Structure formats: structure tokens, C-alpha cells
Amino acid sequence: DAGITQSPRHKVTETGTPVTLRCHQTENHRYMYWYRQDPGHGLRLIHYSYGVKDTDKGEVSDGYSVSRSKTEDFLLTLESATSSQTSVYFCAISPVEPSNIQYFGAGTRLSVL
Amino acid sequence: AQTVTQSQPEMSVQEAETVTLSCTYDTSESDYYLFWYKQPPSRQMILVIRQEAYKQQNATENRFSVNFQKAAKSFSLKISDSQLGDAAMYFCAYRSAKGAQKLVFGQGTRLTINP
């Protein structure tokens, strides 16, 4: 298994509170990604990073921010959680080589009440 | 922007039989990669098979094979000799050969194996 750890694995929070999800890798891969999974939509990209302090928006970035201060850590922050952000969140990592594969973490189930 | 469509929300097959999951995609690029991921109830995303667009030969991995039709932008997954452990959500995904290697996923197909 690729060395990817997501924390927490489960979280219940209230509307309006800030939430931070953490993705930690031990593979030293350059690329890191945050996706959300919702029924009927598959996985959709929120934000991604192509290096330390280098990040960019994905398809569904509104209401989310990210930070990457170290190669191994990629944080996803919901500044003020809303019920529409109830979802399962996946982190993925990928090396630079063009034929590479993305490896996924185990996911974080977030419920915003 | 690229899109991926899986038109079969659910499929079922008898154990030991063969099943084919459909996937179509839309892109203006000529160089890209296509993937099938499996997601069992554990929620873990597991890579099943990968196809490079520049390769005409269809990829195979044991009981899993694809039918890649580049002109038709079709990428179906065939599972032979279906086993109970194959029951899962299956996602088709596209990735450009350029840029940040982001994956674009289809909506998923839930596969049930009947004993």
C-alpha cells in the first residue's frame, strides 16, 4: 500500500465551524490531490498541489482552501463548514512520471449538521 | 473540459459469468490515460487497470480486460469469471498526459455478484 494517511477518518461538526483535514504521505511524491465523493457524481477534484507552496483549484473549490508547507503534508480547510460539504474526502498522491498512477488514501467521512 | 460518462448506475452478474461495464469520455486531446478503479465497501480506491491512449493494444490484468475504442471514445471493462470479491463500485477515469495529471471520474457503476 502507498504510504498515505488521512486524518481524521470520521468527523461530525456543526454548520459554521472551521474544519481541517490532513493528508500525510511517506512516498515523497510531488503531486497531491483532494477529491470529494458524492452519490451520482463520482469523485470530483477540489484542489491539488504540484509542489511545496504550489497549489491550484480544481472543479469544486468554492468554500475550500489548502496549504502545503512540507512535501509530505497537504491540508484541506473548510473555513466555515456548510451542510453541502457533507461528503467523503479522499487524498491522492502521484509521482511526476507521465505514466504514473494516483494512489488514494482511505478517505475521511465528514458530516456537517 | 474533459468529461467521463458511465451510463450504467448498477449492474449485476452471476458468479463465474462475464460482465462488461461501459464508459465513454469526451476530449479534444490525443495523448491521455484511462483507468478503471474499484471501490469495495471498505471505501478504498483500488486501481484495476490502466490504458495508454497511444497504445492500440487493449490492456489486460488477469480476469480484467478493456475494450479501448479511441475513435469512438469508448473504454469498457470486461470482468471474466466473476467472483464474489468483485462486488464493488467501479469508476472510469481520464487523465491528460499533460499538466498536473488530474483525474476526471465518471459517476460510477455498482456491480453486484449473484452467487
Side-chain angles (χ1 to χ4, degrees), chain A residues 33 37 98-100 102 104, chain B residues 37 39 44 50 95 100-101:
Chain A
Y33 311 82
Q37 182 180 12
S99 62
N100 66 63
Q102 281 191 23
F104 285 80
Chain B
Y37 278 88
Q39 186 181 45
Q44 183 68 48
R50 174 182 62 184
R95 179 170 71 73
Q101 305 166 13

Side-chain angles (χ1 to χ4, degrees), chain B residues 18-107:
Chain B
T18 295
V19 63
T20 299
L21 308 184
S22 300
C23 173
T24 58
Y25 58 95
D26 187 29
T27 184
S28 59
E29 299 178 327
S30 59
D31 196 11
Y32 49 87
Y33 298 86
L34 296 165
F35 305 85
W36 278 98
Y37 278 88
K38 169 186 177 181
Q39 186 181 45
S42 67
R43 208 168 63 198
Q44 183 68 48
M45 294 289 288
I46 302 166
L47 179 69
V48 174
I49 200 164
R50 174 182 62 184
Q51 175 77 44
E52 293 90 341
Y54 62 85
K55 290 186 177 179
Q56 291 188 329
Q57 185 174 5
N58 290 325
T60 62
E61 288 287 344
N62 301 314
R63 297 182 295 106
F64 299 88
S65 62
V66 297
N67 183 4
F68 173 49
Q69 301 290 328
K70 191 172 184 179
K73 296 179 183 176
S74 171
F75 183 61
S76 60
L77 174 70
K78 185 172 80 172
I79 306 174
S80 303
D81 186 25
S82 298
Q83 301 176 359
L84 295 178
D86 295 332
M89 281 290 288
Y90 286 82
F91 292 98
C92 178
Y94 169 101
R95 179 170 71 73
S96 171
K98 299 181 294 185
Q101 305 166 13
K102 300 170 283 185
L103 286 173
V104 178
F105 284 88
Q107 303 90 329

Side-chain angles (χ1 to χ4, degrees), chain A residues 61-87:
Chain A
S61 60
D62 287 349
Y64 301 95
S65 62
V66 291
S67 65
R68 191 173 179 194
S69 59
K70 298 183 291 184
T71 298
E72 58 266 34
D73 289 327
F74 192 34
L75 304 180
L76 176 71
T77 298
L78 292 65
E79 300 289 348
S80 177
T82 67
S83 58
S84 65
Q85 294 176 312
T86 293
S87 187

Side-chain angles (χ1 to χ4, degrees), chain A:
Chain A
D1 290 345
I4 311 170
T5 304
Q6 289 187 233
S7 58
R9 292 293 313 281
H10 305 273
K11 186 171 182 66
V12 180
T13 191
E14 294 184 350
T15 299
T17 60
V19 176
T20 295
L21 307 183
R22 180 179 184 241
C23 178
H24 178 79
Q25 64 153 325
T26 58
E27 306 295 324
N28 200 36
H29 285 343
R30 177 179 176 182
Y31 291 103
M32 298 186 76
Y33 311 82
W34 278 108
Y35 295 88
R36 61 177 286 174
Q37 182 180 12
D38 305 289
H41 291 279
L43 279 75
R44 292 178 292 174
L45 182 66
I46 305 171
H47 281 280
Y48 64 97
S49 170
Y50 46 95
V52 173
K53 299 190 189 302
D54 292 324
T55 64
D56 206 347
K57 296 179 179 180
E59 178 187 1
V60 290
S61 60
D62 287 349
Y64 301 95
S65 62
V66 291
S67 65
R68 191 173 179 194
S69 59
K70 298 183 291 184
T71 298
E72 58 266 34
D73 289 327
F74 192 34
L75 304 180
L76 176 71
T77 298
L78 292 65
E79 300 289 348
S80 177
T82 67
S83 58
S84 65
Q85 294 176 312
T86 293
S87 187
V88 178
Y89 292 85
F90 285 94
C91 174
I93 64 174
S94 175
V96 173
E97 293 77 19
S99 62
N100 66 63
I101 298 167
Q102 281 191 23
Y103 298 96
F104 285 80
T108 294
R109 181 176 294 279
L110 175 67
S111 297
V112 183
L113 305 179

